[in-house]
Amino acid sequence: PACRALYARLKALGKPPKVINIAIAHKLLRQAFAVATTNAPFSAEYAGLQAQFIARSEATRQSSQQGPAKTLDCHIGSASSQ
C-alpha cells in the first residue's frame, strides 16, 4: 500500500517511470535496512506514521519554495550621507 501511494504521488507530479521505480526501490531498501539493523519486525503502522511525517515535511518545503517572503528594507542612514 505504501509503495502504491508513493507511485501515485510521484506519477501525479509528472515524474518519469524510471525515477518512480528507483524511488520505490530506495524506499524498500531503507525499510529492509532498518529491519536488519534494529532486529525488529517490520511495522506497517510505524511506516505509515513515517510516511505522513515525510508528506508533511514535503508540503512545508514546497510552500517555502514558492518564493521569498516579502521583507522590509529598513536602512538607518545611508552611505552617501556624511
Side-chain angles (χ1 to χ4, degrees):
C3 291
R4 288 181 192 216
L6 178 61
Y7 178 86
R9 183 172 58 83
L10 294 177
K11 184 80 168 171
L13 290 173
K15 300 294 183 185
K18 191 172 187 178
V19 171
I20 296 171
N21 289 336
I22 294 298
I24 291 171
H26 186 238
K27 178 184 182 74
L28 293 173
L29 184 63
R30 287 181 297 164
Q31 290 175 350
F33 183 78
V35 168
T37 57
T38 62
N39 292 325
F42 175 75
S43 171
E45 294 173 2
Y46 178 76
L49 291 174
Q50 189 177 20
Q52 290 174 2
F53 175 76
I54 291 170
R56 272 189 258 131
S57 64
E58 286 179 358
T60 303
R61 186 177 342 131
Q62 288 176 354
S63 66
S64 67
Q65 290 178 351
Q66 290 178 354
K70 293 182 179 179
T71 59
L72 299 175
D73 289 330
C74 298
H75 296 286
I76 300 174
S78 66
S80 62
S81 65
Q82 295 178 354

Coordinates of all heavy atoms in Angstrom, one line a residue:
P1 N 0.8 -1.2 0.0 CA 0.0 0.0 0.0 C 0.9 1.3 0.0 O 0.5 2.2 -0.7 CB -0.8 -0.1 1.3 CG -0.8 -1.5 1.7 CD 0.5 -2.1 1.1
A2 N 1.9 1.3 0.8 CA 2.8 2.5 0.8 C 3.5 2.7 -0.5 O 3.6 3.9 -0.9 CB 3.8 2.3 2.0
C3 N 3.9 1.6 -1.2 CA 4.5 1.8 -2.5 C 3.6 2.3 -3.5 O 3.9 3.1 -4.4 CB 5.2 0.5 -2.9 SG 6.6 0.0 -1.9
R4 N 2.3 1.8 -3.4 CA 1.3 2.3 -4.4 C 1.0 3.8 -4.2 O 0.9 4.5 -5.2 CB 0.0 1.5 -4.3 CG 0.2 0.1 -4.8 CD -1.1 -0.6 -4.7 NE -0.9 -2.1 -4.9 CZ -1.7 -2.8 -5.5 NH1 -2.9 -2.4 -5.9 NH2 -1.4 -4.1 -5.7
A5 N 1.0 4.2 -2.9 CA 0.8 5.6 -2.6 C 1.9 6.5 -3.1 O 1.7 7.5 -3.7 CB 0.6 5.8 -1.1
L6 N 3.1 6.0 -2.9 CA 4.3 6.7 -3.4 C 4.3 6.8 -5.0 O 4.6 7.8 -5.5 CB 5.6 6.0 -3.0 CG 6.9 6.6 -3.4 CD1 7.1 8.0 -2.9 CD2 8.1 5.7 -3.0
Y7 N 3.9 5.7 -5.6 CA 3.8 5.6 -7.1 C 2.8 6.7 -7.5 O 3.1 7.5 -8.5 CB 3.4 4.2 -7.6 CG 3.3 4.2 -9.1 CD1 4.4 3.9 -9.9 CD2 2.0 4.4 -9.7 CE1 4.2 3.9 -11.3 CE2 1.9 4.3 -11.0 CZ 3.0 4.1 -11.8 OH 2.9 4.0 -13.2
A8 N 1.6 6.7 -6.9 CA 0.6 7.6 -7.4 C 1.0 9.1 -7.2 O 0.8 9.9 -8.0 CB -0.7 7.3 -6.6
R9 N 1.7 9.3 -6.0 CA 2.1 10.7 -5.7 C 3.2 11.2 -6.7 O 3.1 12.3 -7.3 CB 2.7 10.8 -4.3 CG 3.0 12.2 -3.9 CD 3.4 12.2 -2.4 NE 4.5 11.4 -2.0 CZ 5.8 11.6 -2.2 NH1 6.1 12.8 -2.7 NH2 6.7 10.8 -1.8
L10 N 4.1 10.3 -7.0 CA 5.2 10.7 -8.0 C 4.7 10.8 -9.4 O 5.1 11.7 -10.2 CB 6.4 9.7 -7.9 CG 7.1 9.8 -6.5 CD1 8.2 8.7 -6.5 CD2 7.7 11.1 -6.3
K11 N 3.7 9.9 -9.7 CA 3.1 10.0 -11.1 C 2.3 11.3 -11.3 O 2.4 11.9 -12.3 CB 2.2 8.7 -11.2 CG 1.6 8.6 -12.6 CD 2.6 8.0 -13.5 CE 1.8 7.6 -14.8 NZ 2.8 7.2 -15.8
A12 N 1.6 11.7 -10.2 CA 0.9 12.9 -10.3 C 1.8 14.1 -10.4 O 1.4 15.2 -11.0 CB 0.0 13.1 -9.0
L13 N 3.0 14.0 -9.9 CA 4.0 15.1 -10.1 C 4.7 15.1 -11.4 O 5.4 16.0 -11.7 CB 5.1 15.0 -9.0 CG 4.6 15.3 -7.5 CD1 5.7 15.0 -6.6 CD2 4.2 16.8 -7.4
G14 N 4.3 14.1 -12.2 CA 4.9 14.0 -13.6 C 6.3 13.4 -13.7 O 7.0 13.6 -14.7
K15 N 6.7 12.6 -12.7 CA 8.0 12.0 -12.7 C 8.0 10.9 -13.7 O 7.0 10.2 -13.9 CB 8.4 11.5 -11.3 CG 8.4 12.5 -10.2 CD 9.5 13.5 -10.5 CE 9.6 14.5 -9.3 NZ 10.5 15.5 -9.5
P16 N 9.2 10.7 -14.4 CA 9.3 9.6 -15.3 C 9.2 8.2 -14.6 O 9.6 8.1 -13.4 CB 10.7 9.8 -16.0 CG 11.2 11.1 -15.5 CD 10.3 11.5 -14.4
P17 N 8.8 7.2 -15.3 CA 8.6 5.8 -14.7 C 9.9 5.3 -14.1 O 9.9 4.7 -13.0 CB 8.2 4.9 -15.9 CG 7.6 5.9 -16.8 CD 8.3 7.2 -16.7
K18 N 11.1 5.6 -14.7 CA 12.3 5.1 -14.1 C 12.6 5.7 -12.8 O 13.1 5.1 -11.9 CB 13.5 5.3 -15.1 CG 14.8 4.7 -14.8 CD 15.8 4.8 -15.9 CE 17.0 4.0 -15.6 NZ 18.0 4.1 -16.7
V19 N 12.4 7.0 -12.7 CA 12.6 7.8 -11.4 C 11.6 7.2 -10.3 O 12.0 7.0 -9.2 CB 12.3 9.3 -11.6 CG1 12.3 10.0 -10.3 CG2 13.4 9.8 -12.6
I20 N 10.4 6.9 -10.7 CA 9.4 6.4 -9.8 C 9.9 5.0 -9.3 O 9.9 4.7 -8.1 CB 8.0 6.3 -10.4 CG1 7.5 7.7 -10.7 CG2 7.1 5.6 -9.5 CD1 6.2 7.7 -11.6
N21 N 10.3 4.2 -10.2 CA 10.8 2.8 -9.8 C 12.0 2.9 -8.9 O 12.1 2.1 -7.9 CB 11.1 2.0 -11.0 CG 9.9 1.6 -11.8 OD1 8.8 1.5 -11.2 ND2 10.0 1.3 -13.0
I22 N 12.9 3.8 -9.1 CA 14.1 3.9 -8.3 C 13.7 4.4 -6.9 O 14.2 4.0 -5.9 CB 15.1 4.9 -8.9 CG1 15.7 4.3 -10.2 CG2 16.3 5.2 -7.9 CD1 16.4 3.0 -10.0
A23 N 12.7 5.4 -6.8 CA 12.3 5.9 -5.5 C 11.6 4.8 -4.7 O 11.8 4.7 -3.5 CB 11.3 7.0 -5.8
I24 N 10.8 3.9 -5.4 CA 10.2 2.8 -4.7 C 11.2 1.8 -4.2 O 11.2 1.3 -3.1 CB 9.1 2.1 -5.6 CG1 8.0 3.1 -5.8 CG2 8.6 0.8 -5.0 CD1 6.9 2.7 -6.8
A25 N 12.2 1.5 -5.0 CA 13.3 0.6 -4.6 C 14.1 1.1 -3.5 O 14.4 0.4 -2.5 CB 14.2 0.3 -5.8
H26 N 14.3 2.5 -3.5 CA 15.0 3.1 -2.4 C 14.2 3.0 -1.1 O 14.8 2.7 0.0 CB 15.3 4.6 -2.8 CG 16.2 5.3 -1.8 ND1 15.8 6.4 -1.1 CD2 17.4 5.0 -1.3 CE1 16.8 6.8 -0.3 NE2 17.8 5.9 -0.4
K27 N 12.9 3.2 -1.2 CA 12.1 3.1 0.0 C 12.1 1.7 0.6 O 12.3 1.5 1.8 CB 10.6 3.5 -0.4 CG 9.6 3.4 0.7 CD 8.2 3.6 0.2 CE 7.2 3.6 1.3 NZ 7.3 4.7 2.2
L28 N 12.0 0.7 -0.3 CA 12.0 -0.7 0.2 C 13.4 -1.1 0.8 O 13.5 -1.8 1.8 CB 11.7 -1.7 -1.0 CG 10.2 -1.6 -1.4 CD1 10.1 -2.4 -2.7 CD2 9.3 -2.0 -0.4
L29 N 14.5 -0.6 0.2 CA 15.8 -0.8 0.7 C 16.0 -0.2 2.1 O 16.6 -0.8 3.0 CB 16.9 -0.3 -0.3 CG 18.3 -0.6 0.1 CD1 18.6 -2.1 0.1 CD2 19.2 0.1 -0.9
R30 N 15.5 1.0 2.3 CA 15.6 1.7 3.6 C 14.9 0.9 4.6 O 15.3 0.7 5.8 CB 15.1 3.1 3.5 CG 16.1 4.0 2.8 CD 15.6 5.4 2.8 NE 14.3 5.4 2.1 CZ 13.4 6.4 2.1 NH1 13.6 7.4 2.8 NH2 12.3 6.3 1.4
Q31 N 13.7 0.4 4.3 CA 12.9 -0.4 5.2 C 13.6 -1.7 5.6 O 13.6 -2.1 6.7 CB 11.5 -0.7 4.6 CG 10.6 0.6 4.6 CD 9.3 0.3 3.9 OE1 9.0 -0.8 3.3 NE2 8.4 1.3 4.0
A32 N 14.1 -2.4 4.6 CA 14.8 -3.6 4.8 C 16.1 -3.4 5.7 O 16.4 -4.2 6.6 CB 15.2 -4.3 3.5
F33 N 16.8 -2.3 5.4 CA 18.0 -2.0 6.2 C 17.6 -1.7 7.7 O 18.3 -2.2 8.6 CB 18.7 -0.8 5.6 CG 20.0 -0.4 6.4 CD1 21.1 -1.2 6.2 CD2 20.0 0.6 7.2 CE1 22.3 -0.9 6.8 CE2 21.2 0.9 7.9 CZ 22.3 0.2 7.7
A34 N 16.5 -1.0 7.9 CA 16.0 -0.7 9.2 C 15.6 -2.0 10.0 O 16.0 -2.1 11.2 CB 14.8 0.3 9.2
V35 N 15.0 -2.9 9.3 CA 14.6 -4.2 9.9 C 15.8 -5.0 10.3 O 16.0 -5.5 11.4 CB 13.6 -5.0 9.0 CG1 13.5 -6.4 9.5 CG2 12.3 -4.3 8.9
A36 N 16.8 -5.0 9.4 CA 18.0 -5.8 9.6 C 18.9 -5.2 10.7 O 19.5 -5.9 11.5 CB 18.8 -5.8 8.3
T37 N 19.0 -3.9 10.8 CA 19.9 -3.3 11.8 C 19.3 -3.2 13.2 O 20.0 -3.2 14.2 CB 20.3 -1.9 11.4 OG1 19.2 -1.1 11.1 CG2 21.2 -1.9 10.1
T38 N 17.9 -3.1 13.3 CA 17.3 -3.0 14.6 C 16.8 -4.3 15.1 O 16.4 -4.4 16.3 CB 16.1 -2.0 14.5 OG1 15.1 -2.6 13.6 CG2 16.5 -0.6 14.1
N39 N 16.9 -5.4 14.3 CA 16.4 -6.7 14.7 C 14.9 -6.6 15.2 O 14.5 -7.4 16.1 CB 17.3 -7.3 15.8 CG 18.6 -7.7 15.3 OD1 18.8 -8.1 14.1 ND2 19.6 -7.5 16.1
A40 N 14.2 -5.7 14.6 CA 12.8 -5.6 15.0 C 11.9 -5.9 13.8 O 12.4 -5.7 12.6 CB 12.5 -4.1 15.4
P41 N 10.8 -6.5 14.0 CA 9.9 -6.8 12.8 C 9.4 -5.6 12.2 O 9.3 -4.5 12.8 CB 8.8 -7.7 13.4 CG 8.7 -7.2 14.9 CD 10.2 -6.9 15.2
F42 N 9.1 -5.7 10.9 CA 8.5 -4.6 10.1 C 7.2 -4.2 10.7 O 6.3 -5.1 11.0 CB 8.4 -4.9 8.7 CG 7.7 -3.9 7.9 CD1 8.4 -2.7 7.5 CD2 6.4 -4.0 7.5 CE1 7.8 -1.7 6.8 CE2 5.8 -3.0 6.7 CZ 6.5 -1.8 6.4
S43 N 6.9 -2.9 10.9 CA 5.7 -2.4 11.4 C 5.1 -1.5 10.4 O 5.6 -0.4 10.1 CB 5.9 -1.7 12.7 OG 4.7 -1.0 13.1
A44 N 4.0 -1.9 9.8 CA 3.3 -1.1 8.8 C 2.8 0.2 9.4 O 2.7 1.3 8.8 CB 2.2 -1.8 8.1
E45 N 2.4 0.1 10.7 CA 1.9 1.3 11.4 C 3.0 2.4 11.5 O 2.8 3.5 11.3 CB 1.3 0.9 12.8 CG 0.1 0.1 12.8 CD -0.3 -0.4 14.1 OE1 0.4 -0.1 15.1 OE2 -1.2 -1.2 14.2
Y46 N 4.2 1.9 11.9 CA 5.3 2.8 12.0 C 5.7 3.4 10.6 O 5.9 4.6 10.5 CB 6.5 2.2 12.6 CG 7.7 3.1 12.7 CD1 7.8 4.0 13.7 CD2 8.8 3.0 11.8 CE1 8.9 4.9 13.7 CE2 9.9 3.8 11.8 CZ 9.9 4.7 12.8 OH 11.0 5.6 12.9
A47 N 5.7 2.6 9.6 CA 6.0 3.0 8.3 C 4.9 4.1 7.8 O 5.2 5.0 7.1 CB 6.0 1.9 7.3
G48 N 3.7 3.8 8.2 CA 2.6 4.8 7.8 C 2.8 6.1 8.5 O 2.6 7.2 7.9
L49 N 3.2 6.1 9.8 CA 3.4 7.4 10.5 C 4.6 8.1 9.9 O 4.6 9.3 9.8 CB 3.7 7.1 12.0 CG 2.5 6.6 12.8 CD1 2.9 6.2 14.2 CD2 1.4 7.6 12.8
Q50 N 5.6 7.3 9.5 CA 6.8 8.0 8.9 C 6.4 8.6 7.6 O 6.9 9.7 7.2 CB 7.9 6.9 8.8 CG 9.2 7.5 8.3 CD 10.3 6.4 8.2 OE1 10.0 5.2 8.1 NE2 11.5 6.8 8.3
A51 N 5.6 7.9 6.8 CA 5.1 8.4 5.5 C 4.3 9.7 5.7 O 4.5 10.7 4.9 CB 4.3 7.4 4.8
Q52 N 3.5 9.8 6.7 CA 2.7 11.0 7.0 C 3.7 12.1 7.3 O 3.5 13.3 6.9 CB 1.7 10.8 8.1 CG 0.6 9.9 7.8 CD -0.3 9.6 9.0 OE1 -0.1 10.0 10.0 NE2 -1.3 8.7 8.7
F53 N 4.7 11.9 8.1 CA 5.7 12.9 8.5 C 6.4 13.4 7.3 O 6.6 14.6 7.1 CB 6.7 12.3 9.5 CG 7.8 13.3 9.9 CD1 7.5 14.3 10.7 CD2 9.0 13.1 9.4 CE1 8.5 15.2 11.0 CE2 10.0 14.0 9.6 CZ 9.8 15.1 10.5
I54 N 6.8 12.5 6.4 CA 7.5 12.9 5.2 C 6.6 13.7 4.3 O 7.1 14.8 3.8 CB 8.0 11.7 4.5 CG1 9.2 11.0 5.3 CG2 8.5 12.0 3.1 CD1 9.6 9.7 4.8
A55 N 5.4 13.4 4.2 CA 4.4 14.1 3.3 C 4.3 15.5 3.9 O 4.2 16.5 3.1 CB 3.1 13.4 3.3
R56 N 4.1 15.7 5.2 CA 4.0 17.0 5.8 C 5.3 17.8 5.6 O 5.2 19.0 5.3 CB 3.7 16.9 7.3 CG 2.2 16.8 7.6 CD 1.9 16.9 9.1 NE 1.7 15.5 9.5 CZ 2.3 15.0 10.6 NH1 3.1 15.7 11.3 NH2 2.0 13.7 10.9
S57 N 6.4 17.2 5.8 CA 7.7 18.0 5.6 C 7.8 18.4 4.1 O 8.3 19.5 3.8 CB 8.9 17.2 6.1 OG 9.1 16.0 5.3
E58 N 7.4 17.5 3.2 CA 7.5 17.9 1.8 C 6.5 19.1 1.5 O 6.9 20.0 0.7 CB 7.2 16.7 0.9 CG 8.3 15.7 0.8 CD 7.9 14.5 0.0 OE1 6.8 14.5 -0.6 OE2 8.8 13.6 -0.2
A59 N 5.4 19.1 2.0 CA 4.4 20.1 1.8 C 5.0 21.5 2.4 O 4.8 22.5 1.8 CB 3.1 19.8 2.5
T60 N 5.6 21.4 3.5 CA 6.2 22.6 4.1 C 7.3 23.1 3.2 O 7.4 24.3 3.0 CB 6.8 22.3 5.5 OG1 5.7 21.7 6.3 CG2 7.3 23.5 6.2
R61 N 8.1 22.2 2.7 CA 9.2 22.6 1.8 C 8.7 23.2 0.5 O 9.3 24.2 0.1 CB 10.1 21.3 1.5 CG 11.3 21.7 0.7 CD 12.3 20.5 0.4 NE 12.1 19.4 1.3 CZ 11.9 18.1 0.8 NH1 12.0 17.9 -0.5 NH2 11.8 17.1 1.6
Q62 N 7.7 22.7 0.0 CA 7.1 23.2 -1.3 C 6.5 24.6 -1.0 O 6.7 25.5 -1.9 CB 6.1 22.3 -1.8 CG 6.6 21.0 -2.4 CD 5.5 20.0 -2.9 OE1 4.4 20.3 -2.7 NE2 6.0 19.0 -3.5
S63 N 5.9 24.8 0.1 CA 5.3 26.1 0.4 C 6.4 27.1 0.6 O 6.2 28.3 0.3 CB 4.4 26.1 1.6 OG 5.1 25.8 2.8
S64 N 7.6 26.7 1.2 CA 8.6 27.7 1.4 C 9.4 28.0 0.1 O 10.1 29.0 0.0 CB 9.6 27.1 2.4 OG 10.3 26.0 2.0
Q65 N 9.3 27.1 -0.9 CA 10.0 27.3 -2.2 C 9.1 28.2 -3.2 O 9.6 28.4 -4.3 CB 10.3 26.0 -2.9 CG 11.4 25.2 -2.1 CD 11.7 23.9 -2.8 OE1 11.0 23.5 -3.7 NE2 12.7 23.2 -2.3
Q66 N 8.0 28.6 -2.8 CA 7.1 29.4 -3.7 C 7.6 30.8 -3.9 O 7.2 31.4 -4.8 CB 5.7 29.4 -3.2 CG 5.0 28.1 -3.2 CD 3.6 28.1 -2.7 OE1 3.2 29.1 -2.1 NE2 2.9 27.1 -2.8
G67 N 8.5 31.2 -3.2 CA 9.1 32.5 -3.4 C 9.6 33.1 -2.1 O 9.2 32.7 -1.0
P68 N 10.4 34.1 -2.2 CA 10.9 34.7 -1.0 C 9.8 35.5 -0.3 O 8.9 36.0 -1.0 CB 12.0 35.7 -1.5 CG 11.7 35.9 -2.9 CD 11.0 34.7 -3.4
A69 N 9.8 35.5 1.0 CA 8.8 36.3 1.7 C 9.1 37.8 1.5 O 10.3 38.2 1.3 CB 8.9 35.9 3.2
K70 N 8.1 38.6 1.6 CA 8.3 40.0 1.5 C 9.0 40.5 2.7 O 8.7 40.2 3.9 CB 6.9 40.7 1.4 CG 6.2 40.3 0.1 CD 4.9 41.1 0.0 CE 4.2 40.7 -1.3 NZ 2.9 41.4 -1.4
T71 N 10.0 41.3 2.4 CA 10.8 41.9 3.5 C 10.8 43.4 3.4 O 10.6 43.9 2.3 CB 12.3 41.4 3.5 OG1 12.8 41.7 2.2 CG2 12.4 39.9 3.7
L72 N 11.0 44.0 4.5 CA 11.1 45.5 4.5 C 12.5 45.9 4.6 O 13.3 45.3 5.3 CB 10.3 46.0 5.8 CG 8.9 45.7 5.8 CD1 8.3 46.2 7.2 CD2 8.1 46.3 4.7
D73 N 12.9 46.9 3.8 CA 14.2 47.4 3.8 C 14.2 48.5 4.8 O 13.6 49.6 4.7 CB 14.6 48.0 2.4 CG 14.8 46.9 1.4 OD1 15.3 45.8 1.8 OD2 14.6 47.2 0.2
C74 N 14.9 48.3 5.9 CA 15.0 49.3 7.0 C 16.5 49.7 7.1 O 17.2 49.1 7.9 CB 14.5 48.7 8.3 SG 12.8 48.2 8.2
H75 N 16.8 50.6 6.3 CA 18.2 51.1 6.4 C 18.2 52.4 7.3 O 17.5 53.3 7.0 CB 18.8 51.4 5.0 CG 18.9 50.2 4.2 ND1 19.8 49.3 4.3 CD2 18.1 49.8 3.1 CE1 19.6 48.3 3.4 NE2 18.6 48.6 2.7
I76 N 19.1 52.4 8.2 CA 19.2 53.6 9.1 C 20.4 54.3 8.5 O 21.5 53.9 8.6 CB 19.4 53.2 10.6 CG1 18.2 52.4 11.0 CG2 19.6 54.4 11.4 CD1 18.3 51.9 12.4
G77 N 20.1 55.5 8.0 CA 21.2 56.3 7.4 C 21.5 55.7 6.1 O 21.0 54.7 5.6
S78 N 22.4 56.4 5.4 CA 22.9 55.8 4.1 C 24.4 56.1 3.9 O 24.9 56.9 4.6 CB 22.1 56.5 2.9 OG 22.4 57.9 2.9
A79 N 25.0 55.4 3.0 CA 26.4 55.6 2.9 C 26.8 56.9 2.3 O 27.9 57.4 2.5 CB 26.9 54.5 1.9
S80 N 25.8 57.6 1.6 CA 26.2 58.9 0.9 C 26.0 60.0 1.9 O 26.6 61.1 1.7 CB 25.2 59.1 -0.3 OG 23.9 59.2 0.2
S81 N 25.3 59.9 3.0 CA 25.2 61.0 3.9 C 26.4 61.0 4.9 O 26.9 60.0 5.3 CB 23.9 60.8 4.8 OG 24.0 59.7 5.6
Q82 N 26.9 62.3 5.1 CA 28.1 62.4 5.9 C 27.8 63.4 7.0 O 27.3 64.4 6.9 CB 29.3 62.8 5.1 CG 29.6 61.8 4.1 CD 30.8 62.2 3.2 OE1 31.3 63.4 3.2 NE2 31.3 61.3 2.4

